[in-house]
Amino acid sequence: MSSILPHPEMARRAALLGPSPMDEFLGAADRGATISLAGGLPDAATFPVRDVAEAARRVLSRQPRESLQYGPSEGLAPLREWVAEYLRGQGIELQAAQVLITTGSQQALDLLGKVLLDPASPLLVQRPTYLGALQAFRTYAPRMVGLPEDDLGPDPEAFAGALAGSRMAYLQPRFANPSGRSIAPARAGQLCALLAQSDCWLVEDDPYCELWFDEPPPPGLLARGVSHGVHVGTFSKMLFPGLRLGWVAGHAELLRKLTQAKQAADLQSSSLDQWLLLELLRDGLPQRMLPRLRILYRERRDAMLDALSRHMPAGVFWSRPRGGMFVWLSLPMSLDARDIAAAARRQGVLVLPGLVFDVGAGGCESFGSCCDCRFADDPEAAAPARNTLRLAFAGADRPRIERAISILAAVVRAALHGDSQAPARPCRAVGKTPADGAVDVSHA
Ligand code: PMP
């Protein structure tokens, strides 16, 4: 049978694109009967259906032609103005001309990869980091360098060591996906001081900053005055994701290049969606929605922490996120989280192993066993972590969270007592399987 991709170069490119590592863990599940703690999806019950319907009617009666016509590639001027003012409120000093409206913040990540990365360009990412960013950047074949981190953020020594010659540092400063961590102010100051001495671009991705539970988070990184940087943001988490609108903002010259890249990609983001969004913003929708989202997600975070503390056996640890959508869980080192995820899926609970979010230390396949890099004596520390799980609490209500965690805990206990149905297997790096597969970013 002849291949659809007969040319070796096409096969190489296809291998760069896929498959989605999540398919292995989610693909075969019967989604109707399962409880998913796997997806990064907001709760659809929070969607402001009536506000959107009324705003759409107003837009079509007030701006019928403009909203159905092509518009500027940079985005609608008043929407760019709104984003610039919002970012100034976050401590980032910039003007509307430094804002590019994108088709979700996911497009901003792809455009940044297109403009900044060449094959083998060093790209610094946190360990762990957002899977959708890895998917976007991987297309441009950079050399991923994973930064180890503790509860305060990326390790400054490792960051300093990796910065020289690096093209881009992709960092999530607040309530990161998947770890739920924020970079502590003192650590953020150290990282910014190091960035200021380098030529490396800072890409700060900050989609969850409005979903705080106790108090607003401290400023991100760009607000500390990094000159070579951009902020990436989105309306997906503060309102709803179906709009597919986000932004990239900051360095004026880089923004011009990104705008050219966007023109080539899709000319512009939907005019109708932008007018609709503007109407919702002018109508004060974020001010009405956000307080409710914060309360709802805090309750669910508490439900998950409560269930974990009652059900999980000794030796299992988890984070206590102060915002965002995710709890990060560490199993005893003897367990492989992929086996736990597979066994939980058989019992109707979907979770994602942390391995899919982790590029390892050097981005090289041998993880330290090949060379005289600083991991030569400790290849375990350099390899992607096998014992972690991401648990999304935003999309399930308390009874479902309770049930899912009790099932997951029973799976962990069974594995610890040696009666897991899944066999132990050796460590395998993420995303190296050159098979085709549908990329389902809705779960990222
Ligand atoms: N960045 C991060 C860290 C995310 O978690 C997501 C969505 N899961 C995105 C970017 C992309 O979001 P969107 O395209 O909906 O703006």
Side-chain angles (χ1 to χ4, degrees):
M1 201 170 69
S2 71
S3 164
I4 321 171
L5 299 167
H7 195 279
E9 177 59 14
M10 287 180 75
R12 191 189 65 81
R13 295 194 68 82
L16 280 179
L17 279 172
S20 164
M22 288 164 299
D23 294 344
E24 182 184 347
F25 302 101
L26 306 180
D30 168 2
R31 287 175 195 221
T34 56
I35 304 176
S36 177
L37 303 181
L41 280 67
D43 186 338
T46 66
F47 294 163
V49 179
R50 199 173 306 153
D51 294 84
V52 175
E54 283 164 13
R57 253 194 305 278
R58 288 199 297 276
V59 165
L60 287 171
S61 73
R62 289 181 199 158
Q63 289 96 12
R65 295 202 166 77
E66 299 91 322
S67 61
L68 301 183
Q69 183 58 283
Y70 284 117
S73 299
E74 295 83 351
L76 280 189
L79 186 55
R80 296 167 77 200
E81 193 53 70
W82 189 96
V83 172
E85 199 180 321
Y86 170 76
L87 291 179
R88 287 194 292 271
Q90 298 279 324
I92 304 175
E93 272 315 312
L94 47 67
Q95 306 305 317
Q98 292 166 268
V99 175
L100 171 64
I101 301 295
T102 54
T103 302
S105 54
Q106 187 67 28
Q107 184 186 43
L109 300 178
D110 181 58
L111 297 177
L112 283 157
K114 199 176 259 179
V115 167
L116 292 179
L117 299 176
D118 291 314
S121 307
L123 163 65
L124 309 189
V125 298
Q126 285 160 287
R127 290 186 63 190
T129 193
Y130 169 47
L131 177 56
L134 295 179
Q135 287 180 319
F137 297 145
R138 222 169 242 146
T139 325
Y140 305 102
R143 184 168 66 79
M144 307 256 191
V145 179
L147 299 165
E149 59 179 20
D150 56 24
D151 286 345
L152 304 180
D155 175 49
E157 223 173 282
F159 193 61
L163 261 179
S166 284
R167 195 66 69 79
M168 183 205 293
Y170 168 74
L171 301 176
Q172 291 179 63
R174 303 186 282 189
F175 315 133
N177 177 4
S179 70
R181 283 182 203 127
S182 298
I183 302 179
R187 182 68 61 84
Q190 282 175 296
L191 302 180
C192 290
L194 291 165
L195 276 164
Q197 296 161 23
S198 81
D199 292 331
C200 180
W201 287 95
L202 167 67
V203 172
E204 124 172 310
D205 187 11
D206 203 17
Y208 299 98
C209 64
E210 291 294 348
L211 301 182
W212 46 265
F213 302 147
D214 309 312
E215 54 184 359
L221 299 167
L222 214 64
R224 293 166 185 274
V226 177
S227 61
H228 262 63
V230 285
H231 175 100
V232 174
T234 182
F235 294 98
S236 292
K237 315 292 172 179
M238 70 163 100
L239 295 177
F240 52 96
L243 272 172
R244 308 306 307 127
L245 288 171
W247 67 82
V248 49
H251 195 278
E253 213 180 308
L254 178 55
L255 260 285
R256 273 194 289 281
K257 293 282 175 217
L258 293 169
T259 306
Q260 280 172 5
K262 179 168 170 68
Q263 275 170 358
D266 66 354
L267 297 182
Q268 58 159 114
S269 297
S270 155
S271 301
L272 184 56
D273 288 353
Q274 291 184 71
W275 279 105
L276 182 56
L277 172 59
L278 194 60
E279 185 63 26
L280 292 168
L281 295 171
R282 284 174 172 163
D283 190 35
L285 186 62
Q287 291 84 334
R288 292 200 298 282
M289 272 188 80
L290 280 170
R292 291 204 296 263
L293 290 181
R294 289 174 190 138
I295 291 171
L296 179 73
Y297 292 157
R298 184 176 56 204
E299 280 169 7
R300 290 181 175 182
R301 187 255 339 236
D302 290 345
M304 184 170 280
L305 296 180
D306 182 40
L308 285 166
S309 60
R310 279 182 291 105
H311 295 297
M312 280 295 167
V316 179
F317 300 95
W318 52 90
S319 64
R320 187 179 188 284
R322 298 160 69 94
M325 294 184 169
F326 309 105
V327 164
W328 188 244
L329 182 131
S330 301
L331 298 165
M333 289 300 275
S334 59
L335 299 185
D336 187 319
R338 290 169 297 172
D339 297 333
I340 299 298
R345 192 180 75 187
R346 286 195 290 277
Q347 301 198 31
V349 174
L350 300 183
V351 291
L352 280 178
L355 190 75
V356 303
F357 305 97
D358 187 356
V359 300
C364 73
E365 293 192 25
S366 42
F367 297 112
S369 57
C370 61
C371 53
D372 60 355
C373 73
R374 67 199 165 91
F375 292 105
D377 297 331
D378 191 3
E380 258 307 298
R386 286 185 299 163
N387 65 322
T388 53
L389 287 169
R390 187 189 77 172
L391 308 178
F393 53 78
D397 59 17
R398 183 180 269 273
R400 288 168 78 77
I401 289 176
E402 172 67 23
R403 186 163 160 65
I405 296 297
S406 72
I407 291 172
L408 184 64
V411 166
V412 172
R413 271 196 305 273
L416 280 173
H417 296 128
D419 52 350
S420 164
Q421 296 161 32
R425 51 180 170 173
C427 175
R428 180 171 60 78
V430 184
K432 299 268 162 51
T433 328
D436 285 330
V439 177
D440 182 0
V441 288
S442 65
H443 295 280

